[in-house]
Every structure is written in structure tokens, then in C-alpha cells.
Amino acid sequence: MILMVIIFLVLLFWENELDEEAMAATLEQLHVDYPQSDIPIRYCNHMVIQRVIKEPNNTCKKEHFFIHERPRNINSVCNSPRMVTCQNYAPSLCFLSEIKFKMTVCKLTEGTRYPACNYRVFATEGFIVVTCDDMGPAKIERYTE
């Protein structure tokens, strides 16, 4: 009986640890491309398919962006004194980066159902807005030029 309890606790701990790693990896996978991938043509189309970027209902996202900066620099946004209101009237505060980050913005030009999505590429620099928790950035909300 004691052995079963120990096995249960080990499995429970292991499952929670994997979930936390998956959550952290998801944020980076969705928005961070550092160093920038060397894809000369159709960067956005390639990245959206490779990273499975889509809406929950399997439609194409109208806009998505990839930040070409070290993850530790993105994590430091949570220490920014520049706090702003989050979108959708979220109860938490968001943090605005103090510096602009290099990024690629992908804007949908054709297609409605994933993976048949075609994007136009826009290279830009912008401030990012993130929500943070005890571990760092929890979600990258948006960018602003």
C-alpha cells in the first residue's frame, strides 16, 4: 500500500513538472525565433506550419509575430516599470518593454482554414506587451510600434 502511494506521488509530481515545461516551451515556440531562422522565401508560411500557429477552431490567424531576441531579454520585460492595461479588460496588469525588439509580423493575405494560410512578411521593430506570473512572461499579448 505504501509503495502504491509513493508511485502515485512520483507520477503526480512528474506530470505537473512536464505540464510546466510544456507551458514555458509554448510561449517561446509561439513567438520567439532567435536567432532568426534562415528561411529566404515564405518565412511566415513556413514558420506558421512548422510551429502550428492557428486559431482554436483551426482557422488561419489574421496576424502573428515572431520576436528575434534572446529569451532572457524577453523575460526581463516582467521587470519593466512601464505597466499598461491588458487587452480584453483582463484583471491582471501587463508590462510594456522599455526597448524595441526586432520582429517579423505575418499578416494573412489568403486562406481561411489551417494549414492553407498565406502570409505577407513585414520586418519591423516594436515594443512588446506581456502578462507575467512568478515564473516570468505568461503570455505575449501584443506588440506596438
Side-chain angles (χ1 to χ4, degrees):
M1 182 68 160
I2 294 175
L3 182 60
M4 289 183 73
V5 170
I6 291 172
I7 291 172
F8 173 75
L9 290 174
V10 167
L11 288 174
L12 183 65
F13 174 75
W14 186 29
E15 180 181 319
N16 286 340
E17 189 171 301
L18 289 176
D19 286 345
E20 287 175 7
E21 288 175 10
M23 291 284 283
T26 301
L27 179 69
E28 262 187 57
Q29 178 165 352
L30 286 176
H31 287 287
V32 180
D33 183 31
Y34 181 83
Q36 183 173 356
S37 300
D38 187 23
I39 302 165
I41 349 179
R42 301 180 191 257
Y43 171 85
C44 287
N45 294 349
H46 174 82
M47 293 297 287
V48 163
I49 296 233
Q50 180 189 40
R51 301 209 182 175
V52 192
I53 308 292
K54 60 184 178 177
E55 296 292 353
N57 63 356
N58 262 357
T59 57
C60 303
K61 287 192 81 168
K62 292 189 185 328
E63 183 176 287
H64 191 78
F65 61 96
F66 296 98
I67 303 166
H68 310 300
E69 185 58 67
R70 295 177 193 275
R72 73 170 174 247
N73 293 345
I74 295 168
N75 291 345
S76 71
V77 175
C78 291
N79 299 323
S80 171
R82 300 172 70 185
M83 289 183 264
V84 296
T85 305
C86 295
Q87 287 181 326
N88 302 327
Y89 307 103
S92 57
L93 281 176
C94 285
F95 296 86
L96 177 66
S97 63
E98 295 183 77
I99 60 167
K100 288 186 173 186
F101 292 111
K102 289 183 181 177
M103 62 181 71
T104 299
V105 178
C106 304
K107 294 189 179 186
L108 185 67
T109 58
E110 186 179 9
T112 54
R113 300 292 293 169
Y114 180 87
C117 311
N118 287 310
Y119 290 89
R120 188 165 183 195
V121 177
F122 295 91
T124 189
E125 289 188 3
F127 298 100
I128 61 170
V129 177
V130 300
T131 54
C132 300
D133 60 20
D134 294 338
M135 302 295 288
K139 182 178 177 191
I140 299 178
E141 296 286 330
R142 63 187 184 274
Y143 74 95
T144 181
E145 293 179 49

